[in-house]
Coordinates of all heavy atoms in Angstrom, one line a residue:
Chain A
E242 N 8.2 34.8 22.6 CA 8.9 35.8 23.6 C 9.4 35.1 24.8 O 10.3 35.5 25.5 CB 7.9 36.9 24.0 CG 7.6 37.9 22.9 CD 6.4 38.8 23.2 OE1 5.5 38.4 24.0 OE2 6.4 39.9 22.6
A244 N 10.2 31.8 25.1 CA 11.2 30.7 24.9 C 12.6 31.1 25.3 O 13.3 30.3 26.0 CB 11.1 30.2 23.5
P245 N 13.1 32.3 25.0 CA 14.5 32.7 25.4 C 14.7 32.6 26.9 O 15.7 32.2 27.4 CB 14.6 34.1 24.9 CG 13.6 34.2 23.8 CD 12.5 33.4 24.2
R264 N 17.1 15.4 23.2 CA 16.7 14.1 22.6 C 16.0 14.3 21.3 O 16.3 13.6 20.3 CB 15.8 13.4 23.6 CG 15.4 12.0 23.2 CD 14.4 11.5 24.3 NE 13.8 10.2 24.0 CZ 14.2 9.1 24.6 NH1 15.2 9.1 25.4 NH2 13.7 7.9 24.3
T289 N 0.8 9.2 43.6 CA 0.2 9.2 42.3 C 0.1 10.7 41.8 O 0.5 11.1 40.8 CB -1.1 8.5 42.3 OG1 -1.0 7.2 42.9 CG2 -1.7 8.4 40.9
T305 N 7.0 24.9 26.6 CA 7.4 26.3 26.6 C 8.7 26.5 25.8 O 8.9 27.4 25.0 CB 7.5 26.8 28.0 OG1 6.3 26.6 28.7 CG2 7.9 28.3 28.0
A340 N -10.6 -15.9 46.0 CA -10.7 -17.1 45.1 C -10.1 -16.9 43.8 O -9.9 -17.9 43.0 CB -12.2 -17.4 44.9
G343 N -3.8 -14.5 42.0 CA -2.9 -14.9 41.0 C -3.3 -14.6 39.6 O -2.5 -14.6 38.6
P350 N -13.0 -10.6 39.8 CA -14.3 -9.9 39.9 C -14.1 -8.6 40.8 O -13.3 -8.6 41.7 CB -15.2 -10.9 40.5 CG -14.4 -12.0 41.0 CD -13.1 -12.0 40.3
R366 N -11.2 4.3 39.3 CA -10.8 5.2 40.4 C -9.7 6.1 40.0 O -9.6 7.2 40.4 CB -10.5 4.3 41.6 CG -11.6 3.5 42.2 CD -12.5 4.4 43.0 NE -11.8 4.9 44.2 CZ -11.7 4.3 45.4 NH1 -12.3 3.2 45.5 NH2 -11.0 4.9 46.3
K398 N 10.5 -9.6 19.7 CA 11.9 -9.2 19.7 C 12.6 -9.6 21.0 O 13.7 -10.1 21.0 CB 12.0 -7.7 19.5 CG 13.4 -7.2 19.2 CD 13.4 -5.8 18.8 CE 14.5 -5.5 17.8 NZ 14.3 -4.2 17.2
Y422 N 14.2 -17.9 37.2 CA 13.7 -16.7 36.7 C 13.4 -16.8 35.2 O 14.3 -17.3 34.4 CB 14.6 -15.6 37.0 CG 14.1 -14.2 36.5 CD1 13.3 -13.4 37.3 CD2 14.5 -13.7 35.2 CE1 12.9 -12.2 36.8 CE2 14.0 -12.5 34.7 CZ 13.2 -11.7 35.6 OH 12.8 -10.5 35.1
K475 N 10.5 -5.8 35.3 CA 11.5 -4.9 34.7 C 11.6 -5.1 33.1 O 11.6 -4.1 32.4 CB 12.9 -5.2 35.3 CG 13.0 -4.5 36.7 CD 14.1 -5.0 37.5 CE 13.7 -5.1 38.9 NZ 14.6 -5.8 39.8
F556 N 4.0 21.5 47.2 CA 4.8 20.6 48.0 C 5.5 19.6 47.0 O 6.7 19.3 47.2 CB 4.0 19.8 49.0 CG 4.8 18.9 49.9 CD1 5.4 19.5 51.0 CD2 4.9 17.6 49.7 CE1 6.1 18.7 51.9 CE2 5.6 16.8 50.5 CZ 6.2 17.3 51.6
F569 N 1.4 16.1 58.9 CA 0.5 17.3 59.1 C 1.2 18.6 59.3 O 0.8 19.6 58.8 CB -0.5 17.0 60.2 CG -1.4 15.9 60.0 CD1 -1.2 14.6 60.6 CD2 -2.4 15.9 59.0 CE1 -2.0 13.6 60.3 CE2 -3.2 14.9 58.7 CZ -3.0 13.7 59.4
E715 N -10.5 33.1 91.5 CA -10.8 33.2 90.0 C -12.2 32.7 89.7 O -12.9 33.3 88.9 CB -9.8 32.3 89.3 CG -8.4 32.9 89.4 CD -7.3 31.9 89.0 OE1 -7.6 30.7 88.9 OE2 -6.1 32.3 88.8
M774 N -5.2 35.4 83.4 CA -6.1 34.4 83.9 C -7.2 34.0 82.9 O -7.5 32.8 82.7 CB -6.7 34.9 85.2 CG -7.6 33.8 86.0 SD -9.3 33.8 85.4 CE -9.9 35.3 86.2
D815 N -11.0 17.3 79.0 CA -10.6 17.1 77.6 C -9.1 17.0 77.5 O -8.6 16.2 76.7 CB -11.1 18.2 76.7 CG -12.6 18.1 76.5 OD1 -13.2 17.1 77.0 OD2 -13.2 19.1 76.0

Side-chain angles (χ1 to χ4, degrees):
Chain A
E242 286 169 336
R264 185 184 178 99
T289 308
T305 304
R366 293 281 299 272
K398 189 169 213 168
Y422 183 87
K475 284 164 220 172
F556 186 80
F569 298 105
E715 291 162 347
M774 184 274 286
D815 289 351

